[in-house]
Amino acid sequence: MGAAPMWSAKCTYLTQVAHRFAGLDGSDPEPVVVKFFGIFFFFFQCNSILGNIISTSVLSSGKTEVYTDLSDADMAKCGSAYCPAQLISSSNITETAEPSASADDIENENFKTDITKIYIIAGIYLVCSISAALIIAFFVDPLTRFGEDERKEGKEKLTGRQLLVATFRHMKKKNQILIIPLTFWSGIEQGFFGADFTAGFVTCAYGVHVVGRVLIVFGVCDALASVGFGFIIKLVGRVPIFILGACINLAVIIVMLTWTPTASSVAVVYVLAALWGIGDAIWQTQINALYGVLFASDEEAAFSNYRLWESMGFLLAFITQACGVCVFPKLLLTIVFLSLGMGGYFVVEFLERKKAQERRND
C-alpha cells in the first residue's frame, strides 16, 4: 500500500522534470525521459547491491558452516524441478529423520535461517527506509519549482476519489489496454526472480547465504544496463531494445527449463542472474518511459495503471509460490505472458507509427 503512491509519484515526477528539461534544451522528450529513468534505476538498483551486501554479511556471520552440502542427486530436486510444497510437507518431519524415512521426507537444511539474523536485517533496512523518507522530505525540490502550477493552470485539481475514477477510465484507452500484458509481465518477471529463482535455483541447491551474492551480481548488471540503455536508445530506438530484452529473458528461461543445478556449476546461477538483471533494466526503464511518452498529458492516471498491473504480476508470482506451484509450470507461464506482452507492444508501435505518418502527410 505504501509502494503504490510512492512509485506513481516518482514516475510522474521524473516524467515532468524530463519534459521540462527537454523543453529548455530544445530536444525530443522521449530520449530524455528514457535517460532520466535510466539514471533513477541505476541508483535504485544500487540498493540491491548494498542491501545484499548487508544481508550476505549478516547471514554469513557466526557459524563457519552455514549450509548443507547436497549431492548432485539431491540437487535434482532443485532448479525447474523445485516445488515450494516440499517445504510445507517437510515441516511436519522431526529434525532427526528415521533411518527408514525416504529421501523426499528429509528437510532441506539450506532453507533454515537464524531468526535473530532476520531481525537484524529487518532493523537495518528499517533505518535505511526512514532515512530515505527524511531525505526526500527535506531535500527533493517540489514540482512547482519546475512549472507544475503553470502546466495545471485551468485544470481542475483531482481529489483522491476522482483520481481513482480517472485511473479506471484510463483503462479504456486503446494504448493502455494493449500495454497491460507487458506491464503485467514486468511484475511477473520481477516476482519470479525474487520468489522462484532465488528459492529453486539458489537457496535449494547452494544455501541461503549465496542468495545475497547472486542478487549483488543481478543488481550490478541491472544498474549498469539501466544507465547504458538510456544512451543506446538514441542510436537504435526503443523497438530493438524491447526485442533484445525479450530475447534475453527467453534465452534465460530456456536454460532454466533444461538445466539442473550441480555442485560444480554454481557459476551458472550468477550468469543467469546477470542476464536477468540486464533484461530487468530494459523492462523497468523502457516501460516507464513508454508510459511517459504515450500518456504525457495524463501521467497520474497512467502511472497508477502501471503500478496496478505491475503489482498484479507480483501478486500472481508470489501467490502461486505460496500455494506450492512448482517452478516448471511457472516458467511456462512466464513465456506465455512475455509473448502476450510483446504482441501488445508491437501493436502499440504499429499504431504510433501509423499516427505519426498521418501527421506528416497532413
Side-chain angles (χ1 to χ4, degrees):
M1 291 179 67
M6 181 182 69
W7 278 88
S8 296
K10 178 271 301 179
C11 293
T12 302
Y13 188 94
L14 285 177
T15 301
Q16 285 304 314
V17 173
H19 277 272
R20 178 70 171 172
F21 180 85
L24 294 173
D25 194 45
S27 57
D28 182 17
E30 181 179 345
V32 178
V33 172
V34 174
K35 186 184 294 185
F36 273 47
F37 275 104
I39 294 171
F40 169 81
F41 277 104
F42 169 78
F43 289 103
F44 175 75
Q45 291 302 333
C46 285
N47 83 76
S48 175
I49 302 169
L50 179 61
N52 285 293
I53 288 175
I54 293 171
S55 65
T56 300
S57 301
V58 173
L59 292 173
S60 299
S61 64
K63 295 186 294 182
T64 305
E65 193 67 30
V66 293
Y67 75 102
T68 303
D69 286 313
L70 300 180
S71 66
D72 288 350
D74 292 328
M75 288 187 183
K77 302 169 192 170
C78 302
S80 61
Y82 171 74
C83 293
Q86 295 171 196
L87 294 180
I88 299 172
S89 63
S90 65
S91 63
N92 295 323
I93 308 299
T94 56
E95 282 191 29
T96 307
E98 295 296 328
S100 58
S102 66
D104 290 337
D105 293 332
I106 299 175
E107 186 174 359
N108 187 331
E109 297 288 329
N110 286 342
F111 285 94
K112 285 191 173 181
T113 306
D114 185 354
I115 190 65
T116 304
K117 294 181 178 180
I118 294 176
Y119 286 137
I120 292 172
I121 294 173
I124 295 171
Y125 290 168
L126 178 61
V127 171
C128 292
S129 298
I130 294 173
S131 301
L134 293 175
I135 290 171
I136 291 174
F138 289 107
F139 296 105
V140 175
D141 292 326
L143 277 177
T144 51
R145 185 173 178 180
F146 304 103
E148 180 70 359
D149 288 341
E150 293 81 357
R151 187 181 74 89
K152 288 192 171 182
E153 192 173 343
K155 289 185 178 181
E156 183 184 357
K157 188 174 181 181
L158 297 178
T159 64
R161 180 180 296 180
Q162 289 172 326
L163 182 57
L164 179 63
V165 172
T167 299
F168 285 99
R169 282 180 179 169
H170 189 82
M171 292 182 196
K172 298 178 181 179
K173 295 185 178 181
K174 185 185 296 183
N175 282 343
Q176 178 61 65
I177 294 172
L178 288 170
I179 59 175
I180 283 176
L182 187 64
T183 312
F184 200 88
W185 154 252
S186 175
I188 286 281
E189 63 93 7
Q190 293 177 76
F192 174 83
F193 184 84
D196 297 285
F197 178 81
T198 54
F201 288 87
V202 185
T203 303
C204 176
Y206 305 109
V208 69
H209 68 294
V210 178
V211 172
R213 302 170 192 171
V214 172
L215 292 180
I216 288 171
V217 173
F218 169 84
V220 169
C221 294
D222 203 328
L224 295 177
S226 294
V227 173
F229 286 118
F231 294 94
I232 294 174
I233 192 173
K234 283 186 175 181
L235 304 175
V236 300
R238 66 175 177 237
V239 176
I241 294 179
F242 270 100
I243 294 174
L244 175 63
C247 291
I248 289 174
N249 278 120
L250 185 60
V252 173
I253 291 169
I254 291 172
V255 172
M256 290 182 189
L257 286 169
T258 57
W259 173 70
T260 301
T262 61
S264 60
S265 61
V266 63
V268 176
V269 296
Y270 289 97
V271 175
L272 294 177
L275 291 173
W276 201 273
I278 295 172
D280 182 69
I282 291 174
W283 305 123
Q284 298 310 307
T285 57
Q286 301 305 315
I287 296 178
N288 275 282
L290 182 63
Y291 269 82
V293 171
L294 292 178
F295 312 112
S297 61
D298 200 11
E299 302 94 342
E300 291 89 348
F303 284 116
S304 294
N305 269 278
Y306 172 79
R307 288 307 300 173
L308 170 65
W309 293 107
E310 187 182 50
S311 298
M312 292 296 288
F314 269 114
L315 186 65
L316 178 63
F318 283 98
I319 281 183
T320 50
Q321 192 202 37
C323 293
V325 178
C326 297
V327 171
F328 185 84
K330 292 185 72 172
L331 284 168
L332 299 180
L333 189 66
T334 59
I335 295 177
V336 171
F337 279 106
L338 176 58
S339 303
L340 291 174
M342 289 303 294
Y345 166 71
F346 286 137
V347 175
V348 169
E349 286 290 352
F350 172 77
L351 293 175
E352 286 299 300
R353 294 198 177 195
K354 184 179 178 181
K355 190 185 300 182
Q357 185 65 41
E358 290 173 353
R359 283 197 299 263
R360 283 195 295 267
N361 292 338
D362 293 338

